[in-house]
Each structure stands twice: as C-alpha cells, then as structure tokens.
Amino acid sequence: MLLAWCLLFVGGRLCAAPAEPDVARLLASPTGALTQYKVDGWQTEQGLPLNTVQALLQSADGALWVGTAGGLARFDGVRFTTFDESVAPGMGSQPVFGFMEDAQHRLWIGHSQGAAVYENGRFREVLPPEVSGGRRVWAFAQAPDGVVWIATENGLVRWQDGRTRLYQRAQGLPTERLRALTLDRRGVLWIATSGGGLVEMTKEGVFTVHDPSNGFPHLQVRHVLADPRQGVWAATAGGGLVHLDGGATRIYTRADGLPTDHLTTLAFDAQGSLWIGSWGEGVVRFSEGRFSTLGAAGGLAGNQIWSLATDREGSVWVGTWVGGLNRLRNRAYVVFGVPEGLSHDNVRAVLHGRTGVHWVATAGGGLNRIEGGRIRVIGRAQGLPTEEISALHEDTDGSLWVGTYTAGVVHLTDQGPRIYGPEQGLPGVEVRAILRDRQGRLWVGTRAGLARLDGPGFVPVLDPGLPREGVVAMLEARDGTLWFGTAGQGLASLREGRFRTLTKADGLVSNWILSLYEDGAGSLWIGSNGEGLNRLRQGRLTGIRPADGLWDGLAQTILEDSQGQLWMSCNRGFYRVARADLDAFAEGRLRRVASVGFGPGDALRGTTFAGGLQPAGARDAQGRLWLPSANGLVIVDPRHPPGPARPPGVRLDGVLVDGQPQAPGAEVELPPGAVPLLLRYSADTLLHADRVRFRYRMEGLTRDWVEAGAAREAAFAALPHGRYRFRLAASADGQRWTEAEPLAVTVRPRPYETPWFIALALLALAGAVLGLVRLRTRSLQARQREMEHLVALRTEELRQANEHLSRLSFVDPLTGLANRRRFNEALDDEWRRARRTGSPLALIMADIDGFKAYNDLLGHLQGDHCLGAVAGVFAQAVGRAGDLAARYGGEEFVVLLPGADPAAAAAVAQEIRVRCERLAIPHPASPTGPVVTLSLGVAACVPTEGGKPESLISEADAALYRAKQEGRNRVC
C-alpha cells in the first residue's frame, strides 16, 4: 500500500534511484564500489623520505618497501625506516624507481644510478657502471631459470650469478629507454619503453615491436603487466589501456569509460580486478568489464599517480606525484551514505519492514526507502513537514509512523501522509520513539513526555508513577509489560494499569536510558548514556560497567546476532560482548567480561553513532546489523566482523649493538662490558598495525613478560655477561598471541670473568688457605708463650670491633651511604660550625623520578639494584673533607656541602643528575624518558643565631618539589 502511495505521490523524477551503485550489489560485495575503501595517507610528516612515491612492493615478510624521489623506506604499518648513505652506500638518498623480490627473497632496487640488492640486512650494487651507464633502473623480472632481467635507460640487462649482458638498439631494441618488464604465462618477456612502443622478447632472444605502425596505439608505454589469465596489459601515456593476447589487441580509451588516456601504472588484486594509475584522474579499477575511478575528491592525496601495489590483506597502495602515500583499505562491512546514493549522511534510525523494505531516516535528507537494490527518497516534496527524521515504526497494517525532530509525527498510509503535532495533542514536536503494543495502543515518546493516540489525536500520559522527562526508548516485553526509557529520570514500566519507575537507587547504572532489549531467556537489557548496561531478570537488577570489561559505557542500541553476541553502538564506534559472558558476570560466575570494540582503526568514516531515539539499529533477514551514524549507515555481518581473523605474526627487524646495525640472525653476540643493545621488531600486518600490541622477555634477565604496548623496540643498556634468549610476542586483541623464534643473545665476559681465570683464582686461593693453615699451626705452638700478648691483642680487637659497630649504625646497608641518623648528626654539627665561622652551608635533596612505577613494573630486586647504582653516583660526588652523601629514605638522597654557596651546590647537583642519566638504567615506565633520572632541589644559607637546620631542609625540599612540578629530571 505504501509503495503505491510513493509511486503515485512522489512522481517519476523523485522516485528514480541512482544508477550506481546498486544497493543489493553493494551489500553482496563490500568492496563492490570504490567508495567502500577507506583512504589512509602518509607524507613526510609521518616519516616518508619525500612525497613523490615512485615504487611500491610488499615483501614476503609483510613489510612495504617504498621508493621515493628522496630515497628508500621500509614501512611496517606504523613507522618508516629509512636508509642513509652509511647503511646503503651509493644509494642513500638516491631516487628509487623499481623493486622486485626474487625467489631467494632478495630485494632488488632500481635507483637513479643503477641497481642494488638488499640481502641479510646489507645492500650491495649489482650492475657495473659500464652496464648501467649511470642511468636510471626502472624494473626487474625474474625468469623461472633464475635469470633476472633489468630495464634501464641504457638498455635491457640480463643478469645471472653476477654475469651481465646488455641489449641495446644494435641487438634489436627500438630504444634504450626502458620503463617496465613482465613475463607472461608462456615465458615471453614484455618490455615497456619510452618512445619505442611495447616490445616482446621470445625465449630465443627475438624482439618484436608493437607500435602505431602495426596497431599499437602509442609509443610511450609506462607499464606492462602479465594477465594471470592470458596475455598482457599495457598502460600508455596517451593511448589508453591495451590488452594483448596472441594476435588480438584490445584498446580501452575514454570512450570505454576510462577517465583519461594518460596512464602510468598497473596492478592486479586478489579478486582479479585490474588497478590502473592515471596522470591527472587518480586511480581507476577495471572489474567485471567496468571502469570506476577514485580521485582527490574521494580522499586521495593527488590525482597524479606514480605507482600501485596490492598487499596480501587486500589493500591497494597508491604512490602519488607530490601527495605522498595512500592506502585504499578494505572494510569488513558496508558503509552506506551519500556516495552510495543515500539522501544524507546523518542517519538517525533504520527499520526493516516485513515485506523486505528497508527504511532509513536521516536528519536533513528526509526518509529513504530501499527495495530491490533501489532507493527512493521521501521529503518535503512528497508531503513530509520536515526532512529532519528521528524515529520509525511499522504498524500492523503495513503503514509507517515517522517521528521528526521539528514537526511531530507523520503517519504514512496509502492515502498519503497525516501529520500530528501539538495541535493534535502531542506534548512536543521532537519525537524519539514510537510503539504499537499488542493491545492496539499507539505510544509516542517525545522529549517533552509520553503520549498515546486516542481517536483522531493524541493525549499526554500523566499517570502517577510516570516520570515527566522525555521518553527515548520503548519496549513491550513478552509478559505484556511496557517499558519506557527516559532521558534522565530512570526506567518506567506499565503493568496492569500502574506505572512504576526504577532509578539508580534501585540499582540502575544511570537514570538516562537509551536502549532496551529483551533476550530469549526473558532478561531485559538496559543501555545507558555512558555508565554501562543493566540486566533485569526476575526483578533483580545487575550492572555491568566499563570497569567490568565493557569496551564503552554508552549503549545507544542493543542488537543480538545469531551467535549470541550483543552489539552496541556508541560515540567512538561499536562493540560486541557475548551474552553468555554477561549472564555469567551477572550471576557471579565470571569476574570480568571480554568485549571487542571497533573504532577509527577499523576504517570507519566516523565514530559517532545515532542514539537517544528508536530504532537506533536493526538486524535484517540475513542477520546483518544496520547501525546508523553521522557518516552514513554501517552494515555489519556478525559472521565476518572487522579485525584480523588470526593473531599477527611477529618478526625481528633490526639489531643495533652499541648503535651499530647488525644483520638479524639466530644469534647476537655482544663484546665484553656495558654495551647497549637495541632490538627493533614489528608484526606482519599492515592493515591492523595500529591494533597490534607487543610483549617481550629476556630469559636469563627477567622472569616475567614486559608489556611493551604499541612500542616497537626493546633496549638493554648493559647486559651482564652470559647467555640469554630474547622472546617476543604480538597480539591484535590482547587474547590471542603469536610468538617469534627466540633470539639467542650472548655477552662475552671480560678476561677476569672467564672460567679459566676463575679456576686459576680458586687455585691461588686454595694455596693461600693451605699456607694459612700451616701458619696457624705454628701460631698455635707459640700461643702459650705469647698468651699475655694475645690477651692484649684481643682486647684491642674488641675495641676496634666496637668502633666498627658504631660506624655501622651510621651506614645504610643497601646503598653503603650514610644513613639518616648520621646525616642528622652531621647537619647539626656543620650548622653550629658554619654559624660560628659565618661560612655558607648547602644541602641537595634528590628523588628518583617515577621510582614507584619502576618498582611495581620490574620488582623490588631490580629496584634495589637501581638504588645501589644511583647511590654510587652520590658517593662519587662528595670528594671534599666534610662533604656527606646520605640516603634520606626510600628513593630520596641528600648531600651536605659545608662551605658551598648556591652556585657551587647547584653545579654539584647538576653533575649528579647528568651522571645518573649516563648510567642509562632502563626505566619502561619513566615519566621523563627511557632511563632512570633524578629531580634535585638545592638550598644554601649562612646560619645565624636563632636559625634551625630544619629550615635548610625545608628550602631544599621545596626546591625538589619545584623540580618535579617543572617536568622532573632537572635541578631547581
């Protein structure tokens, strides 16, 4: 009936749906339209050497190699690693034009003066200057027999086991300026040239030239690519796209749908689609016989395309002339907005009709009706009083109730629209929810209160027990209870004619209710505006909050999929959690729920989803979830959620020993002494790189895993001599982890730490003990004669022991510095002495930055080692008679400096700070940097009559407080 009204009332022009894209086709294939790709970008600000990207390749280990006009870079999805002249001699900042990874996993690199190979962490040049002519190298191709063919601007090079042969005009080429290479399925080598057309070279070495004289459209061929099915494709700079298969040539130009005939590069994706780079019109995809284009207007950084590559995760990488690097990222869901044919991106509600019609409400674009892959828009021109649509409800007779933000509610029937506003009894014009209950009553929730349809109009519901706040969610339970969620006054229920309200005092996590859902077990799930969920079962309310494991506290809709997962939307994406886990938590069988969130890293166009109205989400007949957002509909298939299907692989990318790069291998050996070791690592995913979290453990040094988070390097300042195993693991969800092969690390001992030296020392000690035994025997024989002398000697030893015990009472046993008791006595003595002589007295107070976090993360044993090492710095700083370094308590130290003025004391403090930092003790949780640092406060005065030493302590402590407030790791 309603369709008949649409066709009658709307008119042909307004009812006509856009020809592209077809909605049904879009739902069947999430990447069926180029608008479904998320465009990411990187430029020099993110680490790219230069914004002109001329070559791209994903290597077998998952890394993306990027050739720019300013040099080479390796990208792991998060960071770019560049290679300067010290690492890549002869090509450090040279423009890079081409890549190939051969069967031995060597990376071939074409640059402006020749070609290099990267293998086992090292670069080496492969073409002598007389072969390359010092000219650009553009491309490589490896034949099945291992021969590598190289396209240069000095001709074609055949390379095998270091031997080269050069082909130029004299050997049959039409020009020496070559641009691209490919080997087709027959083993024929195809050569793209600049000015000589397309050349094919048979296995016998015979050249055949394709140019305008024999039907090929252009002499400038920018790229050639073998078709995995049959033949080759060629991109020309002015003649369009060419497919050659045997003797057949097919030319595609603007007349066939290309946006331009000036093409630059080609790449195939896993689905067999051909991607085409153009000069001036962005990226073109050729799929199922049709061309579609994405340019700067669609998010690309530029329309002049240099290079293309597809990776193993389905992304398409695009190198632009001056705009840097782009990635077209697959979405695991459909995003449906204005680019796909909707009237407006700000989608507020969605409803699946019983006849298969999808209704989509927008704020600003009216109502969209989707059926059979076609879209019809209903707005002011079709009789709606406004195009600001808020809520939807399908009535039992198939008619549609439409709530608006500014004009009340509209009833769409086959007779046309009927409008209800304040004149018809509504308490307000802003409608948020509509419900027809099983008794036939129609309820409308507005921001001004609840109303019920009564005859030709509405009447406000003002019953006792019903809050006066606006109603934004309604549900009729299977037992007949009506539930009303309010925007600030809790959850109301109507049963047997009586209203009752639940609030936070009854156990609700919030009085602002946004969504309601009844599951198959009869539990009512209640979504709040930021505080979490409630479950109501058999009269008992249980709260589940973000602290209990929810990814977010906002639940603007609650949908259940066929696998028992509850899906909620919020203002930073959407998330899911197993209903079984929620039930187990509510019943005390589980301490924390596990939820998975999907946000900006999952290629959303925006993270703000609709809420505070109904329905703010719906599940269609195929089980897909339709989630309205401010940037269009997001349609998720719960069977294929966003995120990686498996945990990412993890690899070690680089090893630096004392700052010098080493080739990663099965073992790393360090020289004796305190030699810094830096290990860099990454995961084998580019698509989900920002989700990956790492942890590592150096067996032999630590027992527990160190949670590194998103950090991609581990530093060890000074490993003691011995053998270790570095273990590394990665996860994209914090639950499933993969671990790399352990790396053996050996630190060679100093000569005096070797086993043979220790054995010799033990032998020497044994000889000394034997000598002492003999000496002792002789001493015993003479003891009787020397008894009186011995008694005196023992008495003297007892006196010395008492003095030693006295000294020990003034020493801190952990650090070897003076303890606080000794400091207090020394301060009193020096204060009195300075007062008598009128000389200055200075005090330094110091505190180790972030020491509690250090202790909590690494344990008390490491904390004690750290205190001992820092104490050594203080011990070295006091060299004058009268100076005293002491442990004041915990991680605090003091230095007493008699006769020192403020400048001298500050200089001593600065020296202590610098020496501590030079220790380079790793501090993974430091607020100031990667190593242990100190904050120091300095005070100095000339004691006077009436003054007290405590005043000096207070001044130093205040200065220390300022040092911490100003950022730590400083002297104040």
Side-chain angles (χ1 to χ4, degrees):
M1 294 188 300
L2 193 52
L3 175 59
W5 169 78
C6 284
L7 292 173
L8 178 66
F9 193 85
V10 175
R13 185 180 64 86
L14 291 171
C15 278
E20 274 291 331
D22 183 274
V23 180
R25 180 171 175 264
L26 189 62
L27 292 175
S29 174
T31 56
L34 290 186
T35 58
Q36 291 302 296
Y37 285 89
K38 170 71 166 60
V39 182
D40 303 311
W42 294 266
Q43 295 185 328
T44 53
E45 291 81 0
Q46 289 78 44
L48 198 64
L50 206 66
N51 285 339
T52 300
V53 179
Q54 301 167 156
L56 294 165
L57 174 78
Q58 185 183 31
S59 52
D61 61 4
L64 183 74
W65 291 89
V66 185
T68 77
L72 176 68
R74 186 177 187 271
F75 186 50
D76 64 5
V78 173
R79 66 184 177 193
F80 290 92
T81 300
T82 56
F83 304 88
D84 58 23
E85 190 70 22
S86 65
V87 178
M91 57 163 289
S93 59
Q94 294 290 332
V96 174
F97 297 98
F99 292 122
M100 181 190 73
E101 186 175 28
D102 65 17
Q104 293 74 39
H105 298 300
R106 296 174 298 195
L107 181 69
W108 293 70
I109 306 158
H111 57 82
S112 61
Q113 297 180 359
V117 164
Y118 178 73
E119 184 178 18
N120 297 326
R122 301 188 185 281
F123 294 88
R124 59 182 174 87
E125 289 292 321
V126 293
L127 290 183
E130 60 271 18
V131 174
S132 67
R135 305 291 299 278
R136 294 177 180 176
V137 171
W138 282 93
F140 308 88
Q142 186 178 33
D145 60 2
V147 171
V148 175
W149 295 94
I150 306 173
T152 82
E153 291 190 351
N154 194 43
L156 177 67
V157 179
R158 182 185 189 274
W159 184 97
Q160 186 173 29
D161 299 329
R163 300 185 303 275
T164 60
R165 179 182 175 185
L166 181 63
Y167 296 82
Q168 295 181 309
R169 287 176 182 266
Q171 286 75 38
L173 283 174
T175 177
E176 281 86 14
R177 297 180 60 202
L178 311 185
R179 192 66 177 260
L181 298 172
T182 192
L183 284 158
D184 68 14
R185 295 179 60 184
R186 300 171 297 152
V188 173
L189 181 68
W190 293 81
I191 308 162
T193 77
S194 295
L198 181 66
V199 181
E200 62 176 307
M201 178 184 183
T202 65
K203 295 179 180 179
E204 294 76 25
V206 177
F207 293 106
T208 301
V209 179
H210 300 266
D211 59 21
S213 69
N214 54 25
F216 193 82
H218 210 278
L219 290 174
Q220 300 289 339
V221 184
R222 294 291 182 247
H223 202 89
V224 62
L225 182 66
D227 191 321
R229 295 174 289 270
Q230 194 72 32
V232 296
W233 293 88
T236 73
L241 177 69
V242 185
H243 185 258
L244 296 93
D245 184 7
T249 300
R250 172 72 193 274
I251 302 171
Y252 299 86
T253 64
R254 294 180 63 184
D256 302 292
L258 277 173
T260 176
D261 293 335
H262 291 265
L263 310 180
T264 56
T265 185
L266 303 168
F268 275 107
D269 64 20
Q271 289 72 42
S273 297
L274 179 65
W275 292 82
I276 308 157
S278 78
W279 197 255
E281 296 292 339
V283 173
V284 183
R285 185 178 66 179
F286 185 53
S287 178
E288 298 178 358
R290 296 189 298 178
F291 293 100
S292 51
T293 303
L294 182 70
L300 281 186
N303 283 328
Q304 289 80 24
I305 307 304
W306 261 106
S307 53
L308 288 173
T310 58
D311 67 23
R312 290 184 288 279
E313 294 175 290
S315 297
V316 179
W317 295 86
V318 183
T320 70
W321 181 28
V322 293
L325 177 66
N326 281 131
R327 173 177 61 188
L328 308 186
R329 187 183 353 167
N330 276 328
R331 290 185 168 100
Y333 45 82
V334 172
V335 179
F336 192 45
V338 170
E340 290 74 31
L342 277 186
S343 62
H344 203 282
D345 275 331
N346 191 0
V347 180
R348 308 310 297 164
V350 60
L351 174 71
H352 302 302
R354 289 185 290 273
T355 62
V357 175
H358 308 291
W359 296 96
V360 180
T362 73
L367 183 63
N368 291 255
R369 184 183 192 277
I370 306 173
E371 184 178 21
R374 309 288 286 175
I375 302 173
R376 288 182 171 84
V377 180
I378 303 170
R380 285 182 178 273
Q382 291 74 44
L384 291 183
T386 177
E387 295 189 346
E388 301 285 337
I389 312 301
S390 57
L392 298 169
H393 178 74
E394 186 180 35
D395 215 333
T396 53
D397 61 359
S399 62
L400 189 70
W401 291 87
V402 181
T404 74
Y405 281 103
T406 59
V409 66
V410 182
H411 189 201
L412 298 182
T413 68
D414 53 354
Q415 283 80 39
R418 182 176 181 184
I419 302 168
Y420 297 85
E423 296 80 4
Q424 289 76 35
L426 279 183
V429 296
E430 187 174 345
V431 176
R432 293 304 186 98
I434 308 168
L435 175 70
R436 173 85 70 178
D437 66 22
R438 289 192 289 275
Q439 296 182 33
R441 296 172 296 186
L442 184 78
W443 304 82
V444 173
T446 76
R447 286 304 302 267
L450 182 66
R452 184 177 62 247
L453 184 65
D454 188 2
F458 284 86
V459 293
V461 180
L462 303 173
D463 296 33
L466 176 68
R468 296 298 177 260
E469 184 62 76
V471 173
V472 298
M474 296 188 287
L475 178 142
E476 184 177 19
R478 284 191 290 275
D479 65 1
T481 302
L482 289 173
W483 294 95
F484 304 91
T486 73
Q489 291 187 319
L491 178 66
S493 64
L494 175 61
R495 184 173 176 83
E496 298 177 352
R498 292 184 56 196
F499 280 96
R500 177 174 176 267
T501 301
L502 298 173
T503 67
K504 290 181 69 173
D506 302 294
L508 285 178
V509 297
S510 171
N511 285 334
W512 195 327
I513 309 302
L514 292 183
S515 55
L516 300 169
Y517 170 69
E518 185 182 26
D519 66 23
S523 297
L524 180 67
W525 296 93
I526 306 159
S528 78
N529 189 31
E531 301 298 327
L533 293 170
N534 277 106
R535 187 191 78 165
L536 179 62
R537 177 182 286 184
Q538 298 176 351
R540 180 173 178 266
L541 274 170
T542 306
I544 306 101
R545 298 171 171 83
D548 304 315
L550 288 183
W551 189 70
D552 198 276
L554 184 62
Q556 299 182 135
T557 188
I558 304 173
L559 303 173
E560 185 171 8
D561 65 22
S562 61
Q563 300 167 352
Q565 298 275 345
L566 295 188
W567 294 73
M568 282 74 70
S569 64
C570 60
N571 282 334
R572 62 189 186 106
F574 55 96
Y575 59 103
R576 68 175 184 184
V577 59
R579 181 161 64 88
D581 283 0
L582 293 170
D583 283 332
F585 179 87
E587 294 158 14
R589 295 182 283 109
L590 189 67
R591 296 183 60 185
R592 183 178 177 85
V593 299
S595 61
V596 180
F598 309 98
D602 298 290
L604 292 171
R605 284 182 183 166
T607 59
T608 301
F609 282 75
L613 45 81
Q614 197 172 290
R619 177 180 167 184
D620 67 16
Q622 289 73 39
R624 294 173 301 218
L625 310 178
W626 295 49
L627 304 174
S629 82
N631 297 86
L633 274 170
V634 176
I635 305 173
V636 182
D637 187 341
R639 297 166 299 179
H640 306 289
R646 61 170 182 84
V650 60
R651 62 177 181 265
L652 190 66
D653 290 333
V655 178
L656 276 76
V657 177
D658 201 13
Q660 298 302 311
Q662 309 288 320
E667 183 173 359
V668 174
E669 188 172 280
L670 276 66
V675 178
L677 173 65
L678 182 68
L679 302 174
R680 291 176 176 159
Y681 47 81
S682 60
D684 67 356
T685 176
L686 297 171
L687 184 61
H688 304 290
D690 54 349
R691 281 178 170 266
V692 178
R693 296 297 179 263
F694 299 91
R695 63 186 183 189
Y696 63 82
R697 179 171 65 182
M698 184 67 84
E699 290 183 349
L701 182 68
T702 58
R703 291 184 302 173
D704 299 324
W705 289 95
V706 176
E707 299 296 336
R712 296 189 169 218
E713 61 184 34
F716 301 91
L719 289 171
H721 75 89
R723 295 183 178 274
Y724 306 89
R725 286 204 324 158
F726 180 74
R727 295 178 58 189
L728 177 66
S731 173
D733 57 13
Q735 300 175 31
R736 299 171 298 165
W737 293 83
T738 54
E739 191 170 339
E741 286 295 322
L743 175 69
V745 178
T746 301
V747 182
R748 297 199 306 270
R750 298 180 177 91
Y752 59 81
E753 295 170 331
T754 57
W756 62 264
F757 183 90
I758 295 172
L760 288 176
L762 289 174
L763 287 174
L765 180 62
V769 169
L770 181 59
L772 287 173
V773 169
R774 291 177 178 175
L775 183 62
R776 180 64 174 166
T777 301
R778 294 173 185 172
S779 176
L780 288 174
Q781 292 173 351
R783 178 181 286 269
Q784 191 66 32
R785 298 188 300 271
E786 299 175 357
M787 185 59 68
E788 291 182 0
H789 176 70
L790 186 59
V791 170
L793 181 63
R794 292 288 183 246
T795 302
E796 178 63 19
E797 289 176 350
L798 181 59
R799 183 187 64 79
Q800 293 178 359
N802 287 334
E803 289 180 357
H804 179 65
L805 288 174
S806 177
R807 286 195 302 273
L808 286 178
S809 67
F810 291 107
V811 174
D812 178 63
L814 177 61
T815 64
L817 299 178
N819 59 19
R820 186 163 180 174
R821 176 183 174 189
R822 174 70 186 106
F823 165 72
N824 290 337
E825 290 187 2
L827 178 60
D828 287 338
D829 291 343
E830 294 299 336
W831 182 272
R832 288 192 295 271
R833 182 179 295 111
R835 187 175 59 196
R836 289 195 306 271
T837 61
S839 58
L841 178 63
L843 177 64
I844 301 171
M845 295 195 76
D847 183 63
I848 299 176
D849 295 325
F851 185 73
K852 182 179 184 304
Y854 183 99
N855 238 7
D856 292 343
L857 184 61
L858 301 179
H860 292 287
L861 181 59
Q862 284 296 113
D864 290 347
H865 289 165
C866 175
L867 287 172
V870 173
V873 172
F874 283 87
Q876 295 173 7
V878 290
R880 304 180 310 157
D883 291 353
L884 177 71
R887 183 183 180 193
Y888 195 69
E891 67 271 24
E892 291 186 330
F893 298 85
V894 291
V895 178
L896 189 63
L897 301 171
D901 58 18
V908 172
Q910 186 65 19
E911 180 64 17
I912 291 171
R913 187 195 68 78
V914 171
R915 287 187 179 184
C916 176
E917 195 169 17
R918 285 176 180 168
L919 291 177
I921 302 171
H923 191 335
S926 171
T928 63
V931 299
V932 169
T933 58
L934 290 173
S935 297
L936 304 98
V938 178
C941 69
V942 176
T944 60
E945 290 294 335
K948 294 185 179 180
E950 289 78 9
S951 63
L952 185 61
I953 295 174
S954 297
E955 289 180 20
D957 189 51
L960 173 59
Y961 180 79
R962 289 197 303 275
K964 293 180 179 179
Q965 289 295 103
E966 293 175 9
R968 304 178 185 268
N969 191 20
R970 63 188 66 236
V971 176
C972 285

